[in-house]
Amino acid sequence: MMIKTWLDFRVICLSALLALAAALPVMTTSVDRRDYYLFDITLTSSSVGTTQLFWDLGRGYNENDSSRQPLRIEPAPVVYRYMMPMGEFKGLRFDPIDGVGTFNFSHAQIVDRKGRVKYKFAPSDFRARAEIASLETRGDTLQVQTTPQSRDPVMEIELKAPIRLTSDSRIWFELGWPIFLPVFLTGLLLGTPFVARALTKLITPLGAWLRARPVSAIALTAVVAVVIQCHPIIFQGRSFASPSNGGLMLYGSLPTLPGSEDYMYTNTMSSDTGALLFQHLYYPVAQREALSQGELPLWNRWSLCGEPLLGQGQSMFGDPLNFITILADGAAWAWDLRFLIVRWIFAAALGGIVWQLTRHLAASLLITATAAFIGFYTFRLVHPANFSVCVAPLILWAWTGLVHAGTSRRIAGWLAALVAANWFVMTSGTMKEAYMLMAGLNFAGVLLLFLLPITAGRRLRTLGLAALAGFGFVLLAAPGWMSFLVAWKHSMTGYDKPGAVPLPLSQVIGFFDDIFYRQTVVDEIIVAPAHNFFLLLGVLWWLVAPRLWRSDRAGLALLLAALPPFAFAFGLVPESIVVKIPFVANIIHTGNTFSCILLVIVTVLAGCGLRDALERLRTDGWGRHLGATFLLLAGLVGVYFVATRTGVKSPFFAGYAAALLLAVIALPVAARASFRLARPGLLWVAMVLGLPLLLWRHCQIGDTLFNFYAFVPALRADIHASSPGIEFVNEQRREPIRVAPWGHALYPSYNTTLRWEGLYGVDALRSREYQEFAVEFGMQRVWNWNWRNDPDAAPVIVPAHDVLNAALYVADRSDPPREYAGLTLLKQLDLDVYASPTAWPRAFFTDRLGTYDTPRDFAQQVLTGDRKPFASVQTSQSDTPDLPQEFAGRTVRAAKDYRLTANTTTFTVETTGPGVAVLTETYYAEDFQVTVNGKPAPYFRVNHAFKGVAIDSAGRHEITFAYWPQHFTAALWLCAAGAVILLIGFICVWRSAPTGGNLQPVT
């Protein structure tokens, strides 16, 4: 009786099942490890160096398939040990040294980790292949002498048959037992009636406190969930904004910053980490510079010789959280704080939406907790799309509040929240994701308004007020969207050719864990955003319950709202139609972008399903629904495997997918049994052990064997760290010049942090003419920012850079220093610093104006000319001044008295007569206001990508080029009108008569 009191057979089975699920990924990945089989050889050497074992697994010998050891001179024979992977070996190659030496080999063999011999090799099995002078057998010892000039002597081990080193049940046991046992024992402890009752009794007062304070409960649950999900960032000095997450900054290799000691990249699973590390990381720095000068951050002079900043649509200016990074000058800790805040917003807002729709606290808290662990975070490790997706639920949260608002003041407050939420998303740092999220979630909100049971008059009034607020928002946001449209019209992008890349419908199970997507691509790289399998349970429950389709109007509205993004994400809308839809046609990555909308809507739908499941937990209503849920789950998995024709593509997938399915089945079964049998231990075991099995891969981890499947953020670094090389370059910058890189040094757009104007950048909207200029001079780093500028390109690149006012160059230190044609080495510090004596000034006057037909013709004018500044216009241009075209005998006067701000460049030139003043900053039609001696003047495109203004007389002329995008003044007036409309509308609604009693929550 005592044993029955303390032990529950169901608890034992559940604990064992979940412990097995926890151990499975480690067990199945044993074939990927290199610590079970080892190649041993006893040897003595006459020289020091490196010895290396290679193996051929069917792809030939290569450095990745090898193991090396340092070689020493030892007085007695020493056993050298080389780790080997598992697999079928076609051949073995042994390189005794990377130099010259004499060696004695004996007892060559392959053993397992416990020393058990698997294969032995005799001296006669070794064959000389390269740089071996002699092989002599003396008993069981082989003496080897390399050639006198050897650098890579090679011996091959003759195999009579392929060697098979495989995993087996013993290895699985050795790996799995250390994980299985503690998990199993934890389950037994949690499931013990005494412990379960004590835990339940302990948590009961907390439950009462939470029920009395639902908003606080959701907020606190979100805090706990985010702290767990991001614990390496909070407690271990890791960072989202670390260059070791996949970027370079000052130096061309790791450590890439002065003072950094991080020599390795984290495994990013081929995630797009560059969007933050190469671009968004530096926007707050440029914005801080503009604001400190009392200007709006409209122009980015630090990148690509100048380009729109606000007009990129991604600058994040206006996002309230962006001011954290602006004040911190883009410091990594400020970015980390922003990521933490938006993840809290995501979890809390989704929990809040479920609460407002269901008034079911348990379902709301479950959604809050599990929404912090979604596969989107594995897909977009540090991408700015984190900000867009994470704040997007605020739109739906505002709509649910608006629908339920029962008084005029509440309506006014929720309308203000709706405007603020849309503003938050629009300025969050992406274009594709942000604008589609706004469209999709506002559409979902309208469907909620129409389908939830409220009176027709109140519905129409609320819809009218929301439409008016939307109109006011569009006007208020005019500077953002209008500057983008203007910049887009005047620029080129990588998305100019319409297209669509959806996700396969047969792989829809991957939307709930991206490990399924990843089995269909090379190297299991990440493919698209995903949810988690716990939320899949809630969604499936709702889908298999016909009663909910009829009675749950909120769930039905969400389901209908999910259909359009689902159709775009999974290719139900043909590409022939997609490419005809404005803006959507240029998204290209429709599978990714529209999945982001589904993330929010489907999470709330899962909350509706969980609400229903929890309400029926104590009844017999679970039986039929639970079976149908599992049947639908089996169908999704079955369709996936049939469609992809895959069994197991990776050892990790075999264990992890099996663990997912075991846990997703065990959780609801255990919960149902716990309530039917009044045994809380089952529920405690299911929640404490089962939930982590469904969520752990979407959590950040400080260290793991599975770092290709979970994110291990890199160490935080100081992006503003100075160095002797940086200080020396700053001393040389006595007038406006640009600094250019060699190799991978000074990675785009890190120069912004240093306030060095640069030639390269990664921004989406860029000058079409500048791109053409770069193409003709082979400046591939303009469009391929990972390109190396190598010394052999200097004869063409340096003349091009001269035109672009690149007077200084930096390169990683090299001993001896490299030579670059046309450059002079100034100093060797942590950087090699060079100067170009032929660099053109930023601005100059000349009295001649040449012509050319094509960009290539202009490049030839530069490359075959005298290396002195000149001005030339394309023959297709009109409204250019009529000046002599011959360059011979031209007058050139460099500008002086420069005054540069974020949006303006002012300088003076001394002219000898009529001519043209050239400013080597990129040309954008109709976007600049130019004055000459205080009087407005027209400007034109000169030297293919830059700006010129006609000068009609001799003398001293002060010239100002000010960036002010076309229609921006009108946009500011529209913004002011929108603010007035919203303010008046808010006051009128606030002061209007009450609309009636509070709407009761939908059940």
Side-chain angles (χ1 to χ4, degrees), residues 162-358:
I163 293 176
R164 292 181 176 85
L165 302 178
T166 59
S167 185
D168 54 33
S169 58
R170 175 182 54 80
I171 293 175
W172 277 39
F173 180 81
E174 289 179 4
L175 276 174
W177 184 251
I179 294 175
F180 177 91
L181 184 59
V183 174
F184 177 67
L185 293 178
T186 301
L188 291 184
L189 178 63
L190 291 171
T192 302
F194 171 76
V195 175
R197 284 195 297 269
L199 290 173
T200 303
K201 185 177 180 180
L202 183 66
I203 205 172
T204 299
L206 176 61
W209 187 90
L210 294 175
R211 283 192 295 273
R213 303 166 181 83
V215 175
S216 298
I218 291 170
L220 290 174
T221 301
V223 168
V224 172
V226 171
V227 167
I228 295 172
Q229 204 273 336
C230 297
H231 67 274
I233 302 292
I234 299 172
F235 301 114
Q236 297 176 358
R238 308 299 181 91
S239 178
F240 290 99
S242 169
S244 298
N245 287 333
L248 291 170
M249 291 187 178
L250 179 61
Y251 309 123
S253 60
L254 291 182
T256 189
L257 286 171
S260 174
E261 297 181 357
D262 203 343
Y263 287 84
M264 293 185 64
Y265 284 115
T266 192
N267 195 326
T268 61
M269 302 166 273
S270 295
S271 171
D272 179 9
T273 58
L276 178 79
L277 296 177
F278 306 158
Q279 176 179 280
H280 285 72
L281 191 67
Y282 308 107
Y283 284 159
V285 177
Q287 291 160 4
R288 178 189 174 98
E289 194 76 5
L291 294 174
S292 68
Q293 297 165 357
E295 296 185 357
L296 290 173
L298 304 178
W299 182 252
N300 182 359
R301 64 166 56 256
W302 318 105
S303 180
L304 294 166
C305 291
E307 60 184 354
L309 179 55
L310 183 65
Q312 291 288 332
Q314 305 179 87
S315 73
M316 302 174 291
F317 190 71
D319 178 348
L321 297 179
N322 187 44
F323 287 95
I324 298 173
T325 39
I326 290 175
L327 292 172
D329 203 19
W333 68 263
W335 282 102
D336 293 335
L337 182 58
R338 284 185 67 182
F339 274 99
L340 294 173
I341 291 173
V342 298
R343 293 196 179 194
W344 177 85
I345 290 173
F346 184 77
L350 286 169
I353 295 168
V354 174
W355 169 250
Q356 292 188 143
L357 290 177
T358 67

Side-chain angles (χ1 to χ4, degrees), residues 64-99:
N64 289 329
D65 291 336
S66 72
S67 178
R68 65 175 67 207
Q69 293 289 344
L71 191 64
R72 298 180 177 86
I73 301 173
E74 303 283 357
V78 173
V79 177
Y80 283 75
R81 176 161 283 186
Y82 309 80
M83 293 191 296
M84 298 182 68
M86 298 183 190
E88 183 174 289
F89 296 82
K90 312 294 184 184
L92 293 175
R93 171 184 138 188
F94 188 68
D95 295 3
I97 197 173
D98 51 0

Side-chain angles (χ1 to χ4, degrees), residues 780-808:
Q780 295 195 50
R781 205 176 194 186
V782 166
W783 62 92
N784 179 4
W785 38 90
N786 203 38
W787 188 264
R788 288 178 54 90
N789 284 341
D790 287 328
D792 57 1
V796 174
I797 289 255
V798 170
H801 285 183
D802 281 349
V803 174
L804 302 179
N805 183 228
L808 293 176

Side-chain angles (χ1 to χ4, degrees), residues 836-878:
S836 173
T838 53
W840 293 15
R842 175 66 58 86
F844 60 90
F845 165 82
T846 181
D847 59 353
R848 306 293 173 90
L849 186 63
T851 61
Y852 63 94
D853 293 325
T854 67
R856 179 161 297 180
D857 295 333
F858 174 74
Q860 288 303 308
Q861 286 181 340
V862 173
L863 295 174
T864 60
D866 57 10
R867 303 293 291 273
K868 296 179 181 179
F870 65 81
S872 191
V873 293
Q874 204 162 7
T875 52
S876 59
Q877 293 178 234
S878 58

Side-chain angles (χ1 to χ4, degrees), residues 504-517:
L505 182 61
S506 60
Q507 297 177 26
V508 69
I509 188 69
F511 178 72
F512 293 95
D513 197 298
D514 72 323
I515 196 68
F516 291 91
Y517 287 145

